[in-house]
Every structure is written in C-alpha cells, then in structure tokens.
Amino acid sequence: MKGPYQLAIIGAGTAGFAAASLAAKKGIKVALIEGAEKIGGLCILKGCMPSKTLIESSRRFWDLQQAKTFGLKVEAISVDMQQIQWRKRKLVERFAKYREEEIFSLPVDFIQAQASFKSPNELEIRRRDGEKQLLYANVILITTGSIIDPLPIPGLMESGFLTSDSALELEHLPESLTILGGGPVACEFAQFFSRLGCKTTIIQRSPRLLKQFDPEVSQCLKDCFTAEGITVFSDTQIESVSIVNGLKKVSFFFKGKRKDVLSKEIFYALGRKPNLKHLGLEKIGIHTDFQSLEVNDKMQTSIPHIFAAGDATGNFGIVHIAREEGEIAAKNALELLAGKEPSHVISRRLTMEVVFTDPEIAMVGILPRNGGMISAKYFFQDHGKAIIEGKEHGFVKIYAEPSTGEILCGSIIGPHASELIHLLSTCMYFRGKVEDLLHMPFYHPTLSEILGYPAEEIFSVLQKQKEMNQSFV
C-alpha cells in the first residue's frame, strides 16, 4: 500500500488543479491522479480554449464581410479550415504545456493512472501498463469532470453525429448541419458553422434558446440568429434520426405537427454528464446513477471526508466556478485533517455565465423567478459607441433590490458582454447599489458607460417611491 496521503485528488482539470495548488502550499502530502493521456483538462483540451479559438476565426471572417459598411474594400476572402485548425492546435498545445509545467512544479505526487474506490479511504490505481496498486488517503476529492451524454434517440447512434469533441477537429465543413440542443455549446457552434458558410438548423427541446438566461435575452439572440440565416425550432419533441439518400434526417414534432430536417451532418449538443462511471462509488455507498454527485455547500458528499468539485457535481460546467469549488473543497479538507469542522461555504451569489456568440451574452447573479426585484434595461442601438462600432444588437438589463437599490443580478447581450459583465460583478461583490454606478466615472465614448442608464432609471423609480412614502408620513 502506497502512502498514506493526507489528500488524494482524482482528476487534474480546473477544479483538481486548483485544489492541489492550494493544499500543497500548506505542506500536506497530496496525490494528484489523472487518468487521461493528455494533461490539461476539458477547458484547455476540448472546451473553452479550442472552441473560442475557432469562434474567433469565424467572427473575424464575418467582420471582414461587413467591411464595406465602414467604407472599406475587401477583395475575395475564403475559409481555410486546415489553417484554422492549425492555429487552434498550436494554441491548445501552448496552453496545455503551460498547465503541465504548473502541475509538475507543485510539491505533490502526480500519478497518471485510473482510480477507483476499494473502500472509503482506499483507491485502486491502474496504470496504462496494467500495473495496479492501492493508495490510502485520509481525505479524497473527486474532480473527474464530465463526458458527452448521448440520449437514446432512435437511430441517432446508427446515423452518426458530431459532438463538441469531434467538431473541434473538423478540417472540412459540412454543407449543411442540424444541431440538436439550444444551450451555450449549441448556440456557439451554430453561429460558428453558419458564418463560415454551412446551412445551419437548430432543433431544441426547450421553449427558447439558453433557457437559463432572461427570456428577453433568449429572444434577442434568436432574432439575431434568424437574421443571419440560422433556422431555429424551439419547444420540439425529437422523434428519430435516420439516413435518407445520403443525408441525415431528424424527425420531430413542432407546434403539434411532424417535421423533417435533412442535412449532411448532425451535431449533438444536448448536454454532458459527470464522469463518474468507473469510480466504483457504489462500493462505498454513494449512489449516483451516473447523472450527478450530490454535495453540500461545503463540497462534501454523503461521506464527510469525500469531497467533489467542478463538473463532477453536475452543477454548472463553468471554469471559474470549478476553480472556486476546488479551492473551497481543499480548504475544508485541510480543516478536516486538522480535526476541525469544515467552515468554508460556497456562495452562488455572484454566479456568472457567458456565451460567446455574436452578440455576446453574459449574466451575473441569480435571475428572479417570482418577481421581487426592480429592473431596467437600455439598448445598444441607442448607445453612441455601439453605433460607431456597428454593434447595435442587444441591451443591458440590471435587477435591483426594490427597497435598497442593491444590484442583485445583471444581464447583457451585446458587444463585449463578456468583459462588461465584470463591471457589474465587481459592483455586486462589494454589495454595490445602482446609486454607486451613477457615482462611478465612465469615460466617453465607451461601451462601459451604458451601465449607467438602466441604473439611473432604477434609481429614479426608487427616489419617487421614497418621496411618495415620505408624503404619507
């Protein structure tokens, strides 16, 4: 038996690396176990970095096509997918190499092998050469990420399909594409393919795109997609997939009627699930059905000395949240090892999400479900800098607590939303109010100054309410 270790971390992606970095600095003995052949995790290898690299190429191509709007002449341009892929691979190699160097610089035992539970404190380590050994740890953290989760749609597996993994490696564009799903991955890839010349159709089960966002944001994105030539079918029931005359046919029900869409390729984007299948959790009494790993707000599973963080919990699939969860888990593991009750609690108050479509979409905070907030929005089409940039689609919407004016949530769909949202998250971090936004200086003309307009509207409403209440006293 090797060890014992004070902390064993299964998975060296974002959450696992963050936890290992924090714990190792405290001088405890840590084992960081990674089963994948390549080091880097989902974000670097098959997620954020490669997908945003591809999206940047399609965005540049689209902007060049709009050049005449700005009085510029651009002669014939074309798409070279092999060069796009070459650039993506070089960047991913660079990011992965840096992460590998970071991991190997940590004072931990880095073990490249598969791990599964033999008991609540024992892991069986299986290396690629077939060698097996037992590893004992006082505390264990599961950060195994997520995998593609194909639903049992009749004919889907037989017909074949692309996923967010395989689409990242395409060197030739399909002439036409049907995307199953309407979440962030579906929307980002839909626009990527469409802008490079692929006839694209989205078929989603939910009533609207990006169901986790404000309905007005969803509708705005759908309008932009439709204007660009992307066909969107919402609130559908997918029936089957088949091959007809060399094309892939998706049959579904839409508004009570059966419809068929044919395309050269299908892109499956109906979600991922936690990568838990080979951990042997059932041996230690943790039952998941492989769909999610339930944790409390201290990142503990039903067994207090076993923690989980990142995509393995099935919560968000967002890098900065995985990093925060990994750090919270590590801090609580350290307290547990010191004989203390874990005290660090994850906060969802500043939960942030970004979708890298054009217009970009960003949200911070928890959207109200049953009212309870006052809101106001301002459109980019009325904002000088956005008009100058030719980026007039979308708006900024702020939600505030109706008695104090504290900013509780914000949504942005528009140019550079992924950057602008951090102004709101910073204000919210310090429990800022709409009045604070009005006192902050914003340079003119900039996109940032748009945040002041909905803040001003909310502040005006609150002031009138205050005056009315005072008049009744």
Side-chain angles (χ1 to χ4, degrees):
M1 181 182 298
K2 190 174 180 180
Y5 288 94
Q6 289 163 289
L7 173 63
I9 302 170
I10 311 173
T14 298
F17 174 70
S21 299
L22 189 150
K25 293 174 183 176
K26 299 300 180 180
I28 68 170
K29 193 172 183 181
V30 179
L32 179 59
I33 307 162
E34 175 57 62
E37 184 176 349
K38 293 184 178 180
I39 300 172
L42 175 65
C43 172
I44 292 175
L45 300 176
K46 296 182 179 180
C48 316
M49 308 313 285
S51 66
K52 277 45 177 183
T53 302
L54 297 185
I55 288 169
E56 188 62 31
S57 290
S58 71
R59 186 171 295 182
R60 298 295 179 96
F61 183 66
W62 180 263
D63 286 343
L64 286 171
Q65 291 176 306
Q66 319 306 314
K68 63 181 180 181
T69 304
F70 298 88
L72 304 174
K73 277 190 175 182
V74 177
E75 299 304 326
I77 56 174
S78 59
V79 176
D80 187 336
M81 273 301 294
Q82 292 183 348
Q83 281 298 309
I84 290 175
Q85 286 290 2
W86 179 85
R87 179 175 184 266
K88 181 216 71 179
R89 288 173 186 139
K90 295 300 289 185
L91 291 179
V92 169
E93 286 174 10
R94 177 179 171 183
F95 299 139
K97 182 180 179 182
Y98 181 68
R99 175 51 55 86
E100 185 175 314
E101 290 172 351
E102 286 184 305
I103 289 175
F104 284 118
S105 71
L106 293 177
V108 304
D109 284 351
F110 181 62
I111 304 170
Q112 284 193 273
Q114 295 288 340
S116 62
F117 284 89
K118 294 289 287 184
S119 75
N121 289 96
E122 286 179 305
L123 297 174
E124 181 180 83
I125 305 299
R126 302 180 306 281
R127 300 181 186 274
R128 292 192 190 89
D129 61 6
E131 179 188 348
K132 295 182 181 180
Q133 61 186 122
L134 288 180
L135 183 150
Y136 179 91
N138 299 98
V139 178
I140 297 173
L141 170 59
I142 301 168
T143 57
T144 47
S146 62
I147 55 175
I148 303 291
D149 182 25
L151 295 176
I153 300 171
L156 178 64
M157 299 300 291
E158 294 82 357
S159 301
F161 54 92
L162 296 171
T163 67
S164 57
D165 289 354
S166 56
L168 289 172
E169 303 302 326
L170 284 180
E171 294 196 355
H172 300 283
L173 290 169
E175 295 176 6
S176 54
L177 179 71
T178 301
I179 295 183
L180 306 182
V185 171
C187 290
E188 289 179 356
F189 272 100
Q191 194 172 48
F192 165 77
F193 281 107
S194 176
R195 285 187 164 186
L196 295 186
C198 177
K199 179 177 173 55
T200 304
T201 301
I202 293 175
I203 300 174
Q204 64 171 140
R205 297 169 298 174
S206 303
R208 54 190 175 86
L209 297 172
L210 304 174
K211 61 183 179 180
Q212 70 272 43
F213 283 84
D214 187 298
E216 290 183 297
V217 169
S218 300
Q219 186 59 50
C220 182
L221 182 65
K222 183 178 180 180
D223 292 342
C224 291
F225 275 7
T226 301
E228 288 189 17
I230 300 172
T231 303
V232 180
F233 292 101
S234 302
D235 200 11
T236 70
Q237 182 181 344
I238 300 174
E239 183 184 35
S240 64
V241 176
S242 59
I243 297 179
V244 178
N245 297 325
L247 296 176
K248 297 182 180 183
K249 182 175 75 172
V250 179
S251 301
F252 60 99
F253 288 94
F254 176 67
K255 294 183 177 180
K257 296 181 179 180
R258 190 178 185 274
K259 290 187 69 70
D260 297 323
V261 170
L262 287 91
S263 60
K264 291 292 290 184
E265 192 55 83
I266 291 173
F267 186 113
Y268 180 89
L270 289 170
R272 303 176 69 91
K273 67 179 180 181
N275 184 18
L276 307 173
K277 188 173 182 180
H278 301 294
L279 287 177
L281 292 172
E282 67 283 354
K283 296 178 184 177
I284 58 173
I286 297 179
H287 301 285
T288 65
D289 295 326
F290 310 130
Q291 294 302 310
S292 63
L293 188 53
E294 188 174 344
V295 294
N296 61 19
D297 57 5
K298 299 175 182 178
M299 309 315 300
Q300 291 172 296
T301 67
S302 57
I303 300 177
H305 75 272
I306 298 177
F307 294 78
D311 293 7
T313 66
N315 286 331
F316 294 94
I318 299 172
V319 167
H320 77 277
I321 294 179
R323 184 184 302 114
E324 183 182 5
E325 289 181 349
E327 291 174 349
I328 291 290
K331 290 176 182 177
N332 285 328
L334 289 167
E335 289 186 330
L336 203 62
L337 289 167
K340 301 177 183 178
E341 182 68 24
S343 62
H344 298 274
V345 175
I346 194 77
S347 172
R348 306 299 186 191
R349 186 175 70 86
L350 297 176
T351 294
M352 194 181 330
E353 185 163 0
V354 173
V355 182
F356 291 88
T357 48
D358 182 14
E360 288 186 343
I361 297 171
M363 176 177 69
V364 61
I366 307 297
L367 275 175
R369 293 184 178 273
N370 301 307
M373 292 190 197
I374 182 171
S375 66
K377 64 177 182 286
Y378 194 87
F379 292 92
F380 280 101
Q381 67 182 19
D382 298 324
H383 188 58
K385 188 59 162 60
I387 295 171
I388 290 169
E389 292 189 4
K391 301 287 186 180
E392 300 178 41
H393 295 299
F395 55 86
V396 171
K397 189 172 183 180
I398 294 176
Y399 315 74
E401 206 284 323
S403 60
T404 65
E406 180 182 342
I407 300 171
L408 300 179
C409 186
S411 294
I412 303 175
I413 177 169
H416 301 290
S418 61
E419 306 295 338
L420 293 177
I421 198 67
H422 292 86
L423 288 168
L424 285 180
S425 68
T426 300
C427 196
M428 289 169 59
Y429 179 84
F430 292 104
R431 299 283 183 178
K433 304 176 180 180
V434 289
E435 185 177 0
D436 294 314
L437 272 179
L438 299 182
H439 293 312
M440 294 178 186
F442 290 98
Y443 200 86
H444 176 78
T446 62
L447 292 173
S448 300
E449 60 184 337
I450 194 174
L451 295 173
Y453 297 113
E456 184 176 17
E457 182 177 336
I458 294 174
F459 182 69
S460 177
V461 171
L462 294 178
Q463 286 296 100
K464 289 179 181 178
Q465 290 178 349
K466 184 177 180 181
E467 291 170 3
M468 290 179 60
N469 291 335
Q470 289 176 342
S471 68
F472 286 111
V473 176

